[in-house]
Amino acid sequence: MSTDTGRLGADGVLVGFVRALRAAGVEASTERLYAFLRAVAVLRPGVRADVYEAGRATLCGGHDDLERYERVFAAYFGSPAGRTAHAPRTAPPPRLRLVARGAPRGAGAPGGKAPSGPPVAALASSAEVLRHRDVATLDAAERDQLSRLLAAFALRGQARRSARRGPARRGEVDPRRTVRELLRRGGEPARLRRHARVERPRRVVLLVDVSGSMAPYADALLRFAHAAVRAGRTEVFTIGTRLTRVTRELSHRDPELAMAAVATAVPDWRGGTRLGELVREFLNRWGQRGMARGAIVVLLSDGWERGDPELLGRQMRRLHALAHQVVWANPRKARPGYAPLAAGMAAALPSVDAFLEGHSLAALERLAAVVRGADAGAERVRGADRA
């Protein structure tokens, strides 16, 4: 293995870690990514303590990022031993177990040839491979690791300008605050106070299919929904043979408690699918009254429909007219040769703005990027998003 190949392999693991940070809500820009790679190259790429400190110094832009960074780092590389998120380090973290891809057998023996490329952390490499694995094919240990990575997710809708105004450096003059400043100074000249419209994220609504055909993916998708609820302004419903609102159950801080609460609240696990009737029920009870208006609505389903496909098509048109954006994530889309030929999927697709995969951690990361408006390359089924 050449040195360049080894370097690219190590950089690939670190880039995957930065993608996981972005999915967790850390604003790790391209400039910060390059700074992180340069810092790790100057230090020791295979030593967990050096990777941790390099990332903490270059990728975190504020106090809120530190907690997310700690959670993602622990899930990706393992918990840094000897330190917590708020306590100073009392002992240096141990070195990672290192492997070199393509290393000749017996290279570590006396007289053996040392590998020419930089070492790559085995745990981090496995996490990067896990990002692209189909959730349905994971074993118990891999599902545990996936759960830790999903717990660090943050799902926020695209920012929109609200009618409310707040203090700003630039913008229109705020007469009330300016006059109050003049009065406070006894009429002496004072700097003009300005205000501008406040940006806030759009509401996100998740409709998660828990029918029998979606059973291999339901747990991972609900954990994704749990992280989204904790990030705020997200509503979650399960769909199968019934429509169940589970936002309150998913508000538990602990993911396992949240999953247990959802298991108790949802009566139709692994049943059939009545997408058209349930989308209509959602619109009649919640969506038409305001929950779907101007929101980003995400359906996580394979599109199998037991009911009337024409009913689903009509209800999806209603939903599309209300929502700012309709996104459909289908785990089956990643399979070779897939085409949306199922009656339900074919009926719904004309009313979908973005059609994505939903089978892996990387696919859910991309879904999160589409929801927050950061992925312009998603497959657009219709024209440009509405304002």
Side-chain angles (χ1 to χ4, degrees):
M1 179 183 68
S2 66
T3 303
D4 291 342
T5 303
R7 179 69 259 165
L8 289 174
D11 286 351
V13 172
L14 299 177
V15 170
F17 169 59
V18 174
R19 290 196 190 103
L21 283 175
R22 288 172 178 169
V26 177
E27 296 295 333
S29 63
T30 303
E31 291 76 11
R32 289 182 180 274
L33 168 61
Y34 290 151
F36 173 50
L37 295 178
R38 289 195 299 269
V40 172
V42 170
L43 299 173
R44 296 167 294 179
V47 179
R48 178 165 50 185
D50 288 7
V51 175
Y52 174 86
E53 297 295 348
R56 199 172 189 270
T58 57
L59 298 173
C60 297
H63 181 74
D64 292 340
D65 289 344
L66 295 178
E67 181 183 356
R68 300 188 184 104
Y69 180 84
E70 296 282 350
R71 287 191 280 118
V72 175
F73 189 93
Y76 211 86
F77 295 98
S79 299
R83 72 178 297 140
T84 63
H86 304 287
R89 182 171 58 189
T90 57
R95 293 173 180 265
L96 284 168
R97 180 169 63 91
L98 303 177
V99 296
R101 294 177 180 172
R105 185 176 298 178
K113 185 178 180 180
S116 57
V120 179
L123 180 59
S125 179
S126 67
E128 177 61 17
V129 171
L130 180 66
R131 290 181 61 250
H132 301 278
R133 291 274 305 279
D134 192 312
V135 172
T137 66
L138 302 182
D139 58 28
E142 290 168 333
R143 285 181 177 274
D144 287 342
Q145 188 177 4
L146 176 68
S147 298
R148 292 193 296 272
L149 289 167
L150 287 173
F153 257 68
L155 186 67
R156 291 184 176 86
Q158 303 171 23
R160 66 176 181 86
R161 296 176 66 189
S162 67
R164 184 177 179 181
R165 297 178 181 271
R169 292 184 178 181
R170 298 179 180 179
E172 300 176 359
V173 175
D174 185 344
R176 293 184 178 181
R177 293 179 62 238
T178 300
V179 170
R180 283 199 298 266
E181 182 69 12
L182 288 171
L183 293 175
R184 190 178 68 84
R185 292 174 172 267
E188 294 293 330
R191 183 166 59 91
L192 294 176
R193 301 296 180 177
R194 300 182 181 273
H195 61 186
R197 287 191 176 184
V198 177
E199 288 192 348
R200 59 184 306 181
R202 292 183 180 274
R203 179 186 291 110
V204 179
V205 180
L206 302 180
L207 303 178
V208 184
D209 190 340
V210 295
S211 62
S213 60
M214 287 289 292
Y217 303 97
D219 182 76
L221 295 179
L222 285 171
R223 290 179 184 274
F224 172 76
H226 170 257
V229 169
R230 292 203 58 214
R233 289 190 63 79
T234 300
E235 292 284 347
V236 182
F237 296 80
T238 61
I239 52 178
T241 58
R242 299 185 184 183
L243 179 73
T244 307
R245 188 180 184 182
V246 293
T247 307
R248 184 176 62 181
E249 286 76 11
L250 289 174
S251 62
H252 288 288
R253 183 179 182 86
D254 186 283
E256 302 307 322
L257 290 177
M259 292 302 104
V262 170
T264 303
V266 177
D268 55 338
W269 288 101
R270 303 195 177 191
T273 314
R274 299 188 295 119
L275 293 176
E277 295 178 30
L278 298 185
V279 173
R280 180 176 61 186
E281 182 181 348
F282 164 73
L283 290 172
N284 290 343
R285 294 182 60 185
W286 287 285
Q288 197 80 40
R289 297 181 180 182
M291 187 177 289
R293 292 183 184 275
I296 300 172
V297 181
V298 182
L299 292 97
L300 299 149
S301 172
D302 55 8
W304 289 101
E305 169 66 298
R306 282 190 174 184
D308 182 5
E310 293 184 4
L311 173 62
L312 176 59
R314 291 195 300 272
Q315 300 310 313
M316 288 298 296
R317 288 191 289 273
R318 284 182 62 197
L319 177 62
H320 190 265
L322 285 172
H324 171 75
Q325 187 179 22
V326 178
V327 181
W328 195 301
N330 187 336
R332 312 291 178 183
K333 187 176 184 290
R335 296 184 177 181
Y338 170 83
L341 301 178
M345 195 71 256
L349 210 53
S351 300
V352 172
D353 293 302
F355 186 39
L356 309 173
E357 300 170 355
H359 68 297
S360 67
L361 180 64
L364 294 177
E365 289 175 358
R366 190 180 187 194
L367 171 60
V370 170
V371 169
R372 69 173 180 267
D375 188 346
E379 180 180 337
R380 300 289 168 179
V381 181
R382 296 176 64 93
D385 294 342
R386 298 178 301 283

